[in-house]
Amino acid sequence: MENLKNNFNPISYVFEIFNKVALGLGHATEITLETFVYIFKGQINIKNTISQMFEVGYRSFPIILLTSFFTGMVLALQVGSATSNLFNEPVYIGMITAYALVKELGPVLTAVVITGRVGAAITAEIGTMKVTEQIDALYTLGTNPIKYIAVPRFIACILMVPLLTSIANIVGVYGGLVVTTMNWDVPSTVYMSDILNVMDVSTFWHGFIKSCVFALILVIVACHKGFQCSGGAEGVGRATTSSVMVSMILIIASDYFLTALLVILKIT
């Protein structure tokens, strides 16, 4: 223990971390650029892409449905309680619930849920292929692994995450409607008119742009961690855990900067 303390050099430790982060960013950028080159060239495996769209979209639908529905219900319950205390009656429930869902909670929660389900699966699949030398076999057969593995997953996430986010928004608003009408005795027409009177297309674009960026983040991190995996089954587990953790941190952190940018661009 004393030798460990004596040999510890904070400068070397910081430099080592910085070096790992720089190498990781470089590898992730390389994968992303190569993937988009294949996409723009139209070199897409349609069968694999449809399979991944089914995996990302259809198989994620039930958990997105439940998450967004109960999120909308909780929001309506909290907003109704808060406005009842402030104004002696529940008001603006539809407006606040829809705003919170469409602009923030819908994109963020959907991306986080898909990261936990799909991002982890992508990293585990690619990592397993890496440690079992299946990726090396693809090179031997003359197939580029980025084209065969990364491209379908990029396309599936970029298309399906915004679509799932839109569905989550609708389901969440309906969940809020259920609580508003049953718990606060507010007519459904009042709830919906509150939403339609204050929301416009720019509000939708605010959440849509965020969901596209979050989709890119989760698929880039998942593919990067998978292709960089090593160390057998234990390495696959470490890569999967790291992929989910890094993706969630980046999604939540980038949410602030995206919000600030969209406010500056007046996409609110």
Side-chain angles (χ1 to χ4, degrees), residues 51-128:
S51 175
Q52 289 301 316
M53 290 174 66
F54 179 83
E55 183 68 26
V56 176
Y58 178 77
R59 292 191 182 278
S60 298
F61 181 75
I63 189 170
I64 295 297
L65 187 72
L66 288 172
T67 303
S68 57
F69 184 76
F70 283 104
T71 300
M73 292 178 70
V74 170
L75 274 174
L77 193 62
Q78 294 282 19
V79 172
S81 176
T83 54
S84 294
N85 293 332
L86 288 173
F87 305 108
N88 295 322
E89 62 176 330
V91 293
Y92 308 126
I93 299 178
M95 178 186 70
I96 298 174
T97 300
Y99 254 88
L101 284 169
V102 173
K103 298 182 72 171
E104 290 297 330
L105 292 179
V108 172
L109 285 179
T110 302
V112 168
V113 169
I114 294 178
T115 295
R117 206 198 77 81
V118 176
I122 291 174
T123 302
E125 289 171 4
I126 299 176
T128 302

Side-chain angles (χ1 to χ4, degrees), residues 2-256:
E2 291 181 0
N3 292 333
L4 181 62
K5 291 180 179 179
N6 293 333
N7 294 330
F8 178 75
N9 188 334
I11 298 177
S12 299
Y13 181 71
V14 171
F15 179 78
E16 183 180 353
I17 293 178
F18 178 80
N19 187 48
K20 287 182 179 179
V21 171
L23 290 174
L25 288 173
H27 182 259
T29 303
E30 182 182 359
I31 290 176
T32 305
L33 292 177
E34 190 172 351
T35 299
F36 278 108
V37 167
Y38 282 118
I39 292 175
F40 288 132
K41 286 183 177 180
Q43 299 181 16
I44 301 170
N45 188 312
I46 302 298
K47 182 179 179 180
N48 284 349
T49 302
I50 293 175
S51 175
Q52 289 301 316
M53 290 174 66
F54 179 83
E55 183 68 26
V56 176
Y58 178 77
R59 292 191 182 278
S60 298
F61 181 75
I63 189 170
I64 295 297
L65 187 72
L66 288 172
T67 303
S68 57
F69 184 76
F70 283 104
T71 300
M73 292 178 70
V74 170
L75 274 174
L77 193 62
Q78 294 282 19
V79 172
S81 176
T83 54
S84 294
N85 293 332
L86 288 173
F87 305 108
N88 295 322
E89 62 176 330
V91 293
Y92 308 126
I93 299 178
M95 178 186 70
I96 298 174
T97 300
Y99 254 88
L101 284 169
V102 173
K103 298 182 72 171
E104 290 297 330
L105 292 179
V108 172
L109 285 179
T110 302
V112 168
V113 169
I114 294 178
T115 295
R117 206 198 77 81
V118 176
I122 291 174
T123 302
E125 289 171 4
I126 299 176
T128 302
M129 295 179 70
K130 179 70 183 297
V131 299
T132 56
E133 300 182 350
Q134 294 180 51
I135 291 179
D136 294 334
L138 289 175
Y139 279 116
T140 304
L141 295 172
T143 302
N144 189 301
I146 302 297
K147 176 182 175 182
Y148 183 77
I149 299 173
V151 170
R153 287 163 174 80
F154 265 72
I155 295 174
C157 287
I158 292 171
L159 292 179
M160 292 293 104
V161 173
L163 178 60
L164 287 172
T165 300
S166 300
I167 295 173
N169 292 336
I170 295 171
V171 173
V173 168
Y174 180 75
L177 174 64
V178 171
V179 170
T180 302
T181 54
M182 295 182 64
N183 196 77
W184 299 114
D185 295 325
V186 176
S188 59
T189 53
V190 174
Y191 178 87
M192 294 305 299
S193 64
D194 283 347
I195 298 174
L196 297 176
N197 288 338
V198 297
M199 296 184 66
D200 53 20
V201 177
S202 64
T203 308
F204 166 79
W205 280 110
H206 188 105
F208 182 82
I209 293 171
K210 283 185 176 182
S211 65
C212 292
V213 175
F214 296 159
L216 273 175
I217 289 174
L218 74 90
V219 72
I220 289 171
V221 173
C223 289
H224 160 64
K225 292 292 184 179
F227 280 111
Q228 289 289 88
C229 182
S230 61
E234 185 179 351
V236 173
R238 286 197 305 267
T240 303
T241 302
S242 177
S243 172
V244 173
M245 180 185 68
V246 172
S247 295
M248 288 184 178
I249 291 173
L250 290 177
I251 286 169
I252 294 171
S254 64
D255 183 43
Y256 169 78

